[in-house]
Amino acid sequence: NAGVMQNPRHLVRRRGQEARLRCSPMKGHSHVYWYRQLPEEGLKFMVYLQKENIIDESGMPKERFSAEFPKEGPSILRIQQVVRGDSAAYFCASSRGTPDTDTQYFGPGTRLTVL
Amino acid sequence: GNSVTQMEGPVTLSEEAFLTINCTYTATGYPSLFWYVQYPGEGLQLLLKATKADDKGSNKGFEATYRKETTSFHLEKGSVQVSDSAVYFCALIPFNDYKLSFGAGTTVTVRA
């Protein structure tokens, strides 16, 4: 049973470009979460999605960031017009049911570097 | 609000030494508590968890007990190995919530 998949593992972008990060949840999991880990810090919640719905995006920056989890295909975290401060590791997690009862399983992360 | 404070690292130990990483939390109600481990170059793996007071989570020789009276969830292992070298994160999910709140992480290095 494959775990949570994320790609790319490493992404380098210049300031002003767009970054697209992909996450495929574990088989049978319909809940997806994105977290960001800034250097020397713990992970911070960004957004919680179910298929075709954004449930909670309270941790997302108000501008340039968006997320989706379409009916078919992986969840996408999109960062437009990246800036140096966006450099971080972005982790996706998934759970089978709601996370107050089910464990969140994490992917290996995408390390974004903005030059 | 909800927060997790864990012991600052880095921690360097010799093989077979005793490891303890302190973790305290602030949360309303009764959160679930977790320890995640991140090996070099990898994502986070759930190490153990506890969902109510006095529960003890255990896995791979690691243990942690949910102490409501001291709002703590300290991680312990009696005899560490080089393969335990990793970053350890304490985390919580508040009751009836879904957002994991993480501590800053503690880097542990075990020397042969």
Side-chain angles (χ1 to χ4, degrees):
Chain A
N1 186 14
V4 178
M5 310 283 284
Q6 289 188 250
N7 66 80
R9 294 290 304 274
H10 300 274
L11 182 61
V12 179
R13 286 287 179 264
R14 297 190 181 279
R15 281 179 296 168
Q17 291 184 320
E18 179 180 284
R20 281 187 178 232
L21 289 62
R22 296 175 190 78
C23 168
S24 296
M26 287 178 69
K27 187 177 180 181
H29 287 195
S30 58
H31 301 255
V32 166
Y33 319 82
W34 287 92
Y35 292 81
R36 177 165 66 173
Q37 183 182 26
L38 295 170
E40 307 300 325
E41 294 186 16
L43 283 73
K44 297 284 194 291
F45 169 83
M46 299 181 75
V47 62
Y48 164 33
L49 310 102
Q50 294 180 30
K51 283 287 187 181
E52 300 185 276
N53 289 305
I54 297 174
I55 307 302
D56 183 346
E57 55 182 350
S58 59
M60 292 269 275
K62 294 288 184 273
E63 297 177 349
R64 301 186 298 107
F65 284 71
S66 62
E68 63 177 9
F69 188 18
K71 187 177 181 181
E72 300 292 336
S75 175
I76 306 287
L77 179 67
R78 181 183 179 203
I79 312 172
Q80 295 178 289
Q81 299 176 327
V82 296
V83 300
R84 289 218 174 107
D86 297 332
S87 294
Y90 293 82
F91 290 94
C92 167
S94 72
S95 67
R96 182 179 300 277
T98 52
D100 55 335
T101 55
D102 283 350
T103 300
Q104 293 181 39
Y105 293 89
F106 281 80
T110 294
R111 280 157 180 80
L112 172 66
T113 302
V114 179
L115 301 178
Chain B
N2 304 302
S3 66
V4 176
T5 302
Q6 64 181 101
M7 161 180 156
E8 288 187 20
V11 174
T12 303
L13 301 165
S14 298
E15 234 176 354
E16 300 184 6
F18 183 86
L19 170 68
T20 183
I21 304 176
N22 290 339
C23 171
T24 57
Y25 67 88
T26 302
T28 52
Y30 300 92
S32 294
L33 302 175
F34 304 82
W35 277 100
Y36 280 86
V37 58
Q38 184 179 27
Y39 297 104
E42 298 185 13
L44 276 73
Q45 299 176 24
L46 177 65
L47 183 58
L48 52 84
K49 70 177 184 179
T51 57
K52 60 183 188 296
D54 299 326
D55 267 2
K56 178 185 282 188
S58 61
N59 186 26
K60 299 182 181 179
F62 290 90
E63 292 184 340
T65 300
Y66 189 143
R67 300 285 187 203
K68 187 175 183 305
E69 62 277 10
T70 54
T71 61
S72 65
F73 193 53
H74 305 320
L75 182 69
E76 295 181 337
K77 185 173 184 181
S79 177
V80 293
Q81 305 300 313
V82 172
S83 57
D84 293 324
S85 298
V87 182
Y88 292 81
F89 292 94
C90 186
L92 68 82
I93 288 183
F95 181 69
N96 270 349
D97 201 337
Y98 41 79
K99 301 173 197 171
L100 274 163
S101 292
F102 285 87
T106 302
T107 301
V108 173
T109 302
V110 180
R111 293 181 176 167

